[in-house]
Amino acid sequence: MDHHQNGKMYLTNNKTELAYYRQRALDLLSNASPLMDIYRVESESAFSAFVKKDCMTSGKRRSILSALPIHTLSEELLLQILGHNSVDEADKNRILAYAAEQRQLYKNVLEEDSITDEIPVISESEFKEHPMLLPLSEIFYEKDIVYTYAEYLMHMEQTLRYSHEHKNYIIKKNINYPFRNIQIRILEGKWVLISKNKAPAIHFVIYNPQLRSALENMSVSS
């Protein structure tokens, strides 16, 4: 039902009043927005568009990661990881292209804005129980690609070196991180992105101010 009987009509051509009621309508629509957007494999193109648009939005960024960031991973080490995981040529090229794109996107963001990444520090015994996966959820890659512990240490070294070379890139180490396959990325005051890294990938972009604020204030660094 449209409930027209509960409505009230008011006619005016006063510009001040029109501006007021227009803004009031926009505020009501804003409050009626969904808590979050959800992206699955069938919405890969829409999610890719969101990621690229975000990189053009200025702001303070922070991430709580369960895997080391792919933009700090050298192509040589990436090829080594893909090789012992027996990744076929087509998938290899897709992953290499994604990694190259991430390097460029992060380079662009860091020219103007800061990024703080909280990264996991894992002992060899912990790693044997829960091997780290290459973070490929953004391209909805359907197979798990695992590191060796030596590769994880090499990637950690490359990540710390990247931080030293880029003054706007800040690393915080987590020795008791609570997540195994969840990545949390934050653009303060705008949104929080929660991604499941293990296949099948899914992403939640949270806009609701109360929920977003709670996640923005969360930290798991030691």
Side-chain angles (χ1 to χ4, degrees), residues 46-96:
F47 182 71
S48 178
F50 162 78
V51 171
K52 291 175 182 177
K53 180 181 178 182
D54 160 63
C55 290
M56 295 184 289
T57 304
S58 183
K60 187 176 181 181
R61 290 171 168 80
R62 183 166 67 90
S63 300
I64 303 171
L65 305 177
S66 60
L68 299 178
I70 199 167
H71 73 274
T72 65
L73 179 62
S74 70
E75 185 171 301
E76 180 183 9
L77 182 54
L78 176 55
L79 284 169
Q80 178 179 314
I81 295 169
L82 298 178
H84 72 70
N85 279 272
S86 302
V87 177
D88 65 36
E89 197 66 22
D91 283 353
K92 183 189 299 182
N93 290 334
R94 181 186 176 201
I95 293 167
L96 288 172

Side-chain angles (χ1 to χ4, degrees), residues 131-163:
M132 181 172 288
L133 304 178
L134 197 65
L136 298 174
S137 64
E138 288 194 4
I139 58 171
F140 297 90
Y141 191 71
E142 292 301 318
K143 301 172 185 175
D144 292 335
I145 297 180
V146 298
Y147 290 74
T148 65
Y149 192 65
E151 289 165 345
Y152 157 73
L153 293 178
M154 291 172 66
H155 190 182
M156 174 68 79
E157 181 182 346
Q158 291 177 358
T159 301
L160 296 175
R161 188 184 311 132
Y162 186 95
S163 177

Side-chain angles (χ1 to χ4, degrees), residues 193-209:
L193 169 64
I194 300 178
S195 303
K196 183 170 78 71
N197 194 41
K198 192 175 178 66
I202 186 170
H203 305 276
F204 304 90
V205 183
I206 298 169
Y207 298 101
N208 176 265

